[in-house]
Amino acid sequence: MDGIFITFEGPDGAGKTTALQEVSRRLAATANKKIVTTREPGGSPIAEKIRDIILDTAHTEMDERTEALLYAASRRQHLVEKVIPVLAEGGCVLCDRFVDSSVAYQGFARGIGTAGIFQINDFAIEGVQPHLTLYLDIPAEEGLRRIAASGGSRENNRLDQEALAFHQKVREGYLHLVEEHPERIVVIDSQQSKEAVVEQCLAVIRERFAAMFEA
Ligand code: TYD
């Protein structure tokens, strides 16, 4: 596959979704290939339905392994339907969350451990890995503060309702991944201004994939 697969990761409240939209808009202006922006969990009709089951605030009894399997199932469907076709024709996919989210949230924060998460996700992704991951880093307290401050404007899901300790473990998981994959994962400080975050993301992408995005 000739395309470029870029993922955006970060704890809740890192501002990743907003940054991704703006990065995508600005990249599209200079790209010579198709750019597709998408998200996990969801991003295709079947995957969105799985998302609804996972994030339903009424599903408080959901088993943690069930949760991990549902994320992997949603990921698989989304990958096959939305990501692989674009990569196969040489395009660029910007994806909000991927396997790293499962490692951080289910592996670390839920405490399932990383081995099982890698196992089920290896089955789901069949070797399709991101070429680059932009990790928007934010301390858990600040991320939760932002979610609270955004009031009703932002979707409040089952995982947002977890305690501070959970979100601290999510961040720990991400920082562990950063150490393990220094080539693939680039850390962006999300406490900067929105504009600075977007500029940094663009700079990294343009530097890595100059042929596709002439500035
Ligand atoms: P998302 O829609 O990206 O929420 P946000 O906009 O807050 O980042 O993801 C919804 C939630 O799902 C979020 O709390 C992170 C969680 N999640 C996992 O726990 N594991 C996963 O594999 C994925 C993709 C997401």
Side-chain angles (χ1 to χ4, degrees), residues 10-13 16-17 39-41 51 55 67 71 75 96-99 101-102 105-106 154-155 157 159-160:
D12 295 271
K16 135 191 94 45
T17 309
R39 70 158 185 188
E40 277 201 1
R51 175 194 175 92
L55 298 178
E67 180 181 282
Y71 276 118
R75 175 162 302 128
D96 197 338
R97 300 194 181 280
F98 197 58
V99 177
S101 283
S102 286
Y105 283 81
Q106 282 67 55
R154 187 183 176 288
E155 172 194 26
N157 66 49
L159 279 94
D160 286 340

Short mmCIF file of all heavy atoms in Angstrom, two decimals, residues 10-13 16-17 39-41 51 55 67 71 75 96-99 101-102 105-106 154-155 157 159-160, ligand 1:
data_model
loop_
_atom_site.label_atom_id
_atom_site.label_comp_id
_atom_site.label_asym_id
_atom_site.label_seq_id
_atom_site.Cartn_x
_atom_site.Cartn_y
_atom_site.Cartn_z
N GLY A 10 -4.31 10.86 22.20
CA GLY A 10 -4.20 11.72 23.37
C GLY A 10 -5.26 11.40 24.39
O GLY A 10 -6.29 10.82 24.05
N PRO A 11 -5.02 11.81 25.64
CA PRO A 11 -6.04 11.61 26.67
C PRO A 11 -7.27 12.46 26.38
O PRO A 11 -7.20 13.38 25.56
CB PRO A 11 -5.34 12.11 27.95
CG PRO A 11 -3.90 12.24 27.62
CD PRO A 11 -3.81 12.46 26.15
N ASP A 12 -8.37 12.16 27.04
CA ASP A 12 -9.57 12.97 26.86
C ASP A 12 -9.28 14.43 27.22
O ASP A 12 -8.59 14.70 28.20
CB ASP A 12 -10.69 12.42 27.76
CG ASP A 12 -11.11 11.03 27.33
OD1 ASP A 12 -11.99 10.92 26.48
OD2 ASP A 12 -10.51 10.05 27.81
N GLY A 13 -9.81 15.33 26.41
CA GLY A 13 -9.62 16.75 26.69
C GLY A 13 -8.34 17.33 26.11
O GLY A 13 -8.03 18.50 26.31
N LYS A 16 -7.57 16.88 20.60
CA LYS A 16 -7.10 16.18 19.40
C LYS A 16 -8.08 16.27 18.25
O LYS A 16 -7.67 16.46 17.10
CB LYS A 16 -6.76 14.78 19.89
CG LYS A 16 -7.14 13.62 19.18
CD LYS A 16 -6.88 12.41 20.06
CE LYS A 16 -8.11 12.00 20.84
NZ LYS A 16 -9.35 11.97 20.09
N THR A 17 -9.35 16.19 18.52
CA THR A 17 -10.35 16.19 17.45
C THR A 17 -10.36 17.54 16.72
O THR A 17 -10.37 17.60 15.49
CB THR A 17 -11.74 15.85 18.02
OG1 THR A 17 -11.60 14.64 18.79
CG2 THR A 17 -12.75 15.61 16.93
N ARG A 39 -12.45 8.71 12.25
CA ARG A 39 -12.25 8.57 13.70
C ARG A 39 -12.58 7.17 14.19
O ARG A 39 -13.37 6.44 13.58
CB ARG A 39 -13.15 9.55 14.45
CG ARG A 39 -14.62 9.15 14.34
CD ARG A 39 -15.44 9.75 15.45
NE ARG A 39 -16.82 9.26 15.41
CZ ARG A 39 -17.79 9.73 16.15
NH1 ARG A 39 -17.56 10.71 16.98
NH2 ARG A 39 -19.00 9.22 16.08
N GLU A 40 -11.99 6.83 15.31
CA GLU A 40 -12.33 5.61 16.04
C GLU A 40 -12.81 6.02 17.42
O GLU A 40 -12.38 7.06 17.92
CB GLU A 40 -11.08 4.76 16.24
CG GLU A 40 -10.74 3.92 15.08
CD GLU A 40 -9.85 2.76 15.50
OE1 GLU A 40 -9.53 2.65 16.70
OE2 GLU A 40 -9.48 1.98 14.65
N PRO A 41 -13.58 5.27 18.11
CA PRO A 41 -14.30 4.11 17.59
C PRO A 41 -15.42 4.59 16.69
O PRO A 41 -16.08 5.57 17.00
CB PRO A 41 -14.84 3.44 18.86
CG PRO A 41 -14.97 4.56 19.84
CD PRO A 41 -13.88 5.53 19.53
N ARG A 51 -19.62 1.55 18.34
CA ARG A 51 -19.24 2.69 19.18
C ARG A 51 -20.37 3.03 20.17
O ARG A 51 -20.13 3.26 21.35
CB ARG A 51 -18.94 3.91 18.29
CG ARG A 51 -18.66 5.19 19.07
CD ARG A 51 -18.71 6.42 18.17
NE ARG A 51 -18.55 7.63 18.94
CZ ARG A 51 -17.39 8.22 19.17
NH1 ARG A 51 -16.29 7.74 18.65
NH2 ARG A 51 -17.32 9.29 19.91
N LEU A 55 -19.93 3.16 24.21
CA LEU A 55 -19.91 4.44 24.94
C LEU A 55 -21.23 4.77 25.64
O LEU A 55 -21.32 5.78 26.34
CB LEU A 55 -19.50 5.57 23.99
CG LEU A 55 -18.09 5.43 23.39
CD1 LEU A 55 -17.79 6.57 22.42
CD2 LEU A 55 -17.03 5.39 24.49
N GLU A 67 -15.25 -4.79 26.46
CA GLU A 67 -14.97 -3.44 25.95
C GLU A 67 -13.78 -3.47 24.98
O GLU A 67 -13.84 -2.93 23.87
CB GLU A 67 -14.67 -2.52 27.14
CG GLU A 67 -14.36 -1.09 26.75
CD GLU A 67 -14.04 -0.23 27.98
OE1 GLU A 67 -14.97 0.18 28.68
OE2 GLU A 67 -12.85 0.03 28.22
N TYR A 71 -13.83 -2.60 20.91
CA TYR A 71 -12.96 -1.60 20.26
C TYR A 71 -12.20 -2.24 19.10
O TYR A 71 -12.07 -1.64 18.03
CB TYR A 71 -11.97 -1.00 21.26
CG TYR A 71 -12.52 0.14 22.08
CD1 TYR A 71 -12.62 0.04 23.46
CD2 TYR A 71 -12.95 1.31 21.48
CE1 TYR A 71 -13.13 1.08 24.22
CE2 TYR A 71 -13.46 2.36 22.23
CZ TYR A 71 -13.54 2.24 23.60
OH TYR A 71 -14.05 3.27 24.33
N ARG A 75 -12.57 -1.31 15.23
CA ARG A 75 -11.34 -0.94 14.52
C ARG A 75 -11.19 -1.75 13.23
O ARG A 75 -10.88 -1.21 12.16
CB ARG A 75 -10.15 -1.21 15.46
CG ARG A 75 -8.78 -0.99 14.86
CD ARG A 75 -7.75 -0.86 15.98
NE ARG A 75 -8.11 0.24 16.85
CZ ARG A 75 -8.21 0.15 18.18
NH1 ARG A 75 -7.93 -0.98 18.80
NH2 ARG A 75 -8.58 1.19 18.90
N ASP A 96 -8.45 9.74 13.96
CA ASP A 96 -8.59 10.10 15.36
C ASP A 96 -8.63 8.80 16.18
O ASP A 96 -9.66 8.12 16.16
CB ASP A 96 -9.91 10.89 15.50
CG ASP A 96 -10.02 11.68 16.78
OD1 ASP A 96 -9.33 11.33 17.75
OD2 ASP A 96 -10.82 12.63 16.80
N ARG A 97 -7.53 8.43 16.79
CA ARG A 97 -7.35 7.21 17.61
C ARG A 97 -7.15 5.95 16.78
O ARG A 97 -7.71 5.79 15.72
CB ARG A 97 -8.50 6.99 18.59
CG ARG A 97 -8.70 8.13 19.58
CD ARG A 97 -9.63 7.69 20.71
NE ARG A 97 -9.87 8.76 21.69
CZ ARG A 97 -9.02 9.08 22.66
NH1 ARG A 97 -7.91 8.43 22.80
NH2 ARG A 97 -9.30 10.07 23.50
N PHE A 98 -6.33 5.04 17.37
CA PHE A 98 -6.09 3.71 16.78
C PHE A 98 -5.64 2.79 17.92
O PHE A 98 -6.01 3.01 19.08
CB PHE A 98 -5.07 3.84 15.63
CG PHE A 98 -5.04 2.67 14.67
CD1 PHE A 98 -6.16 2.25 13.99
CD2 PHE A 98 -3.85 1.96 14.46
CE1 PHE A 98 -6.13 1.17 13.11
CE2 PHE A 98 -3.79 0.88 13.58
CZ PHE A 98 -4.95 0.49 12.90
N VAL A 99 -4.82 1.79 17.61
CA VAL A 99 -4.46 0.77 18.61
C VAL A 99 -3.86 1.39 19.89
O VAL A 99 -4.12 0.89 21.00
CB VAL A 99 -3.47 -0.26 18.02
CG1 VAL A 99 -3.04 -1.27 19.08
CG2 VAL A 99 -4.09 -0.97 16.83
N SER A 101 -4.74 3.83 21.54
CA SER A 101 -5.82 4.15 22.49
C SER A 101 -6.19 2.92 23.31
O SER A 101 -6.42 3.01 24.52
CB SER A 101 -7.07 4.65 21.76
OG SER A 101 -6.92 5.98 21.34
N SER A 102 -6.27 1.78 22.65
CA SER A 102 -6.62 0.56 23.38
C SER A 102 -5.53 0.17 24.37
O SER A 102 -5.81 -0.33 25.47
CB SER A 102 -6.87 -0.60 22.41
OG SER A 102 -8.10 -0.44 21.75
N TYR A 105 -5.95 2.98 27.23
CA TYR A 105 -7.21 2.94 28.01
C TYR A 105 -7.50 1.55 28.56
O TYR A 105 -7.79 1.39 29.75
CB TYR A 105 -8.40 3.40 27.13
CG TYR A 105 -8.47 4.89 26.94
CD1 TYR A 105 -7.68 5.52 25.98
CD2 TYR A 105 -9.31 5.68 27.70
CE1 TYR A 105 -7.73 6.89 25.78
CE2 TYR A 105 -9.38 7.06 27.51
CZ TYR A 105 -8.60 7.66 26.56
OH TYR A 105 -8.66 9.01 26.36
N GLN A 106 -7.47 0.53 27.67
CA GLN A 106 -7.82 -0.80 28.16
C GLN A 106 -6.62 -1.49 28.81
O GLN A 106 -6.73 -2.07 29.88
CB GLN A 106 -8.39 -1.67 27.01
CG GLN A 106 -9.84 -1.38 26.64
CD GLN A 106 -10.05 -0.01 26.04
OE1 GLN A 106 -9.39 0.35 25.05
NE2 GLN A 106 -10.94 0.77 26.60
N ARG A 154 -19.83 19.39 24.45
CA ARG A 154 -19.05 18.23 24.07
C ARG A 154 -19.78 16.97 24.51
O ARG A 154 -20.35 16.94 25.60
CB ARG A 154 -17.69 18.32 24.78
CG ARG A 154 -16.70 17.28 24.37
CD ARG A 154 -15.45 17.46 25.22
NE ARG A 154 -14.47 16.44 24.95
CZ ARG A 154 -14.59 15.18 25.33
NH1 ARG A 154 -15.65 14.79 25.99
NH2 ARG A 154 -13.62 14.31 25.05
N GLU A 155 -19.70 15.95 23.69
CA GLU A 155 -20.31 14.67 24.02
C GLU A 155 -19.70 14.15 25.33
O GLU A 155 -18.48 14.16 25.48
CB GLU A 155 -19.99 13.70 22.87
CG GLU A 155 -20.37 12.27 23.13
CD GLU A 155 -19.72 11.31 22.11
OE1 GLU A 155 -18.64 11.66 21.57
OE2 GLU A 155 -20.27 10.25 21.88
N ASN A 157 -19.19 10.91 27.40
CA ASN A 157 -19.41 9.47 27.24
C ASN A 157 -19.01 8.69 28.49
O ASN A 157 -18.53 9.24 29.47
CB ASN A 157 -18.69 8.97 25.98
CG ASN A 157 -17.19 9.07 26.09
OD1 ASN A 157 -16.61 8.63 27.07
ND2 ASN A 157 -16.55 9.64 25.07
N LEU A 159 -16.58 6.81 29.16
CA LEU A 159 -15.19 6.86 29.62
C LEU A 159 -14.83 8.22 30.23
O LEU A 159 -13.98 8.30 31.09
CB LEU A 159 -14.23 6.49 28.48
CG LEU A 159 -14.16 4.96 28.34
CD1 LEU A 159 -15.14 4.46 27.31
CD2 LEU A 159 -12.78 4.49 28.04
N ASP A 160 -15.53 9.28 29.77
CA ASP A 160 -15.30 10.59 30.39
C ASP A 160 -15.68 10.58 31.86
O ASP A 160 -15.22 11.39 32.65
CB ASP A 160 -16.18 11.66 29.71
CG ASP A 160 -15.67 12.02 28.33
OD1 ASP A 160 -14.49 11.76 28.04
OD2 ASP A 160 -16.45 12.57 27.54
P1 TYD B 1 -13.29 9.72 21.21
O1 TYD B 1 -14.52 9.79 20.44
O2 TYD B 1 -12.01 9.89 20.49
O3 TYD B 1 -13.45 10.74 22.38
P2 TYD B 1 -12.67 12.06 22.58
O4 TYD B 1 -13.23 13.00 21.56
O5 TYD B 1 -13.02 12.36 23.98
O6 TYD B 1 -11.23 11.77 22.38
O7 TYD B 1 -13.20 8.36 21.99
C1 TYD B 1 -14.21 8.01 22.88
C2 TYD B 1 -13.64 7.32 24.07
O8 TYD B 1 -13.21 6.00 23.73
C3 TYD B 1 -12.47 8.02 24.69
O9 TYD B 1 -12.71 8.18 26.07
C4 TYD B 1 -11.32 7.06 24.48
C5 TYD B 1 -11.98 5.74 24.37
N1 TYD B 1 -11.25 4.70 23.61
C6 TYD B 1 -10.76 3.58 24.27
O10 TYD B 1 -10.91 3.46 25.49
N2 TYD B 1 -10.12 2.60 23.56
C7 TYD B 1 -9.96 2.67 22.21
O11 TYD B 1 -9.40 1.76 21.59
C8 TYD B 1 -10.48 3.83 21.53
C9 TYD B 1 -10.33 3.97 20.05
C10 TYD B 1 -11.11 4.82 22.27
#
